[in-house]
Amino acid sequence: MTHTGIEITAELVRDLLRDQHPDLADRPVRLGARGWDNQLWRLGDDLAVRLPWATESADALLRKEHTWLPSLAPRLPLPVPVPQRLGEPSARFPRPWIVTTWVPGEPADRAPVTRAAEAATTLAAFLTALHQPAPEEVDTAGRGRGGPLADSSRWVAQQLASATELGLIPDPDAVRAVWEDAAAAPDWAGPALWLHGDLHPANILTADGTICGVIDFGDLFAGDPAVDLAAAWTLLPDGAADRFHDAYQPTPDAATLRRARGWAVIRALVGLHVGDAGVHGRPGGKPTWGPPAHAALQRLIATTHR
């Protein structure tokens, strides 16, 4: 159900297409996935329909993707879901929706990266291509990810305490030390760069042990590249971070890597709580999020910033 109380079904998707994009209405429609903000419905073999359902903010995120991603996609070296059509609110469904290309692959929370060297180089090439100066009119807030890292210190303390109480973190002092070092690093002083903003394992697709696509650009915004560079610890296997940093251009400085480790702590804490909720059947839980979050924290604790 959406917050409007309308159940999203294959019949509804087909009716929406028939009303606004009739040339696509006869394609087979089947459920692909239910995400945080949107439901994804396969449309034939090469397209997908994304409809907001669980959050009110999803409308603006979809419109943002429709506005910016078609111009960004051609320079990116990995497949991404490129918007093809925009569906406007109507009597059938009072929210916007989009038709995008379909990106094949399995989410990395279900099929983790195993070919570390290849994945590190692939991810570095993708972020090098994405991290270019963004136009001035692009959002720099990023749903709380656009400000100084230290602004999140209170939230991190609360989440760390909660995860510790749940028995999810055996060494909270070590995690706290990583965070405090990151929060003390100098802020980003460079230009506001294009960022994916939400590079957790469920938004990375894999095939044959390496990365084959990146999805869900709803959090696309401009700012500090450290937000995305956290992926070296949250997405890649043990020992791959150095190869990733060597391949990424321009080579990140020490302060940026410290901040990236802080963003990785934030991402891992979210993953721990979402994973635990999934294990125990609480709303919004996804059990597959726990293992990669645990692994990320172990990598962060075991390594020091360069």
Side-chain angles (χ1 to χ4, degrees), residues 118-179:
E118 183 174 343
T121 302
T122 298
L123 183 61
F126 176 82
L127 291 180
T128 295
L130 175 62
H131 289 173
Q132 303 298 321
E136 290 185 1
E137 62 268 29
V138 175
D139 170 38
T140 57
R143 288 209 285 186
R145 300 172 192 138
L149 187 63
D151 290 353
S152 298
S153 290
R154 182 176 179 181
W155 180 92
V156 168
Q158 293 170 340
Q159 296 300 305
L160 181 57
S162 173
T164 303
E165 289 178 9
L166 291 169
L168 302 176
I169 298 181
D171 191 353
D173 288 340
V175 177
R176 188 176 299 109
V178 174
W179 170 256

Side-chain angles (χ1 to χ4, degrees), residues 16 75 79-80 109 123-124 131 156-157 159 229 233-234 237 240 266 304:
L16 292 174
R75 76 177 190 216
V80 300
D109 61 318
L123 183 61
H131 289 173
V156 168
Q159 296 300 305
L229 296 180
W233 293 278
T234 60
I266 289 176
T304 58

Side-chain angles (χ1 to χ4, degrees), residues 257-273:
L257 292 184
R258 290 168 65 191
R259 293 193 307 276
R261 287 166 59 81
W263 288 112
V265 168
I266 289 176
R267 181 72 64 203
L269 289 173
V270 171
L272 287 180
H273 283 91

Side-chain angles (χ1 to χ4, degrees), residues 193-220:
L193 305 181
W194 277 116
L195 306 175
H196 180 280
D198 202 22
L199 287 178
H200 58 71
N203 285 341
I204 299 295
L205 302 180
T206 67
D208 299 322
T210 193
I211 297 171
C212 67
V214 180
I215 60 174
D216 196 351
F217 285 74
D219 281 301
L220 190 72

Side-chain angles (χ1 to χ4, degrees), residues 242-256:
D242 285 351
R243 188 181 184 100
F244 169 82
H245 294 139
D246 289 340
Y248 175 84
Q249 296 297 319
T251 302
D253 61 23
T256 298

Side-chain angles (χ1 to χ4, degrees), residues 50 60-71 81-88 97-100 217 220:
R50 293 176 64 204
L61 302 183
L62 283 181
R63 290 192 183 277
K64 179 166 57 174
E65 286 191 56
H66 185 265
T67 298
W68 295 111
L69 201 50
S71 61
V82 184
Q84 303 293 301
R85 310 282 184 91
L86 177 65
E88 295 291 354
W97 46 278
I98 60 174
V99 179
T100 74
F217 285 74
L220 190 72

Side-chain angles (χ1 to χ4, degrees), residues 167-170 268 272 289-299:
L168 302 176
I169 298 181
L272 287 180
W289 284 39
H294 281 285
L297 283 183
Q298 288 303 115
R299 283 191 284 272

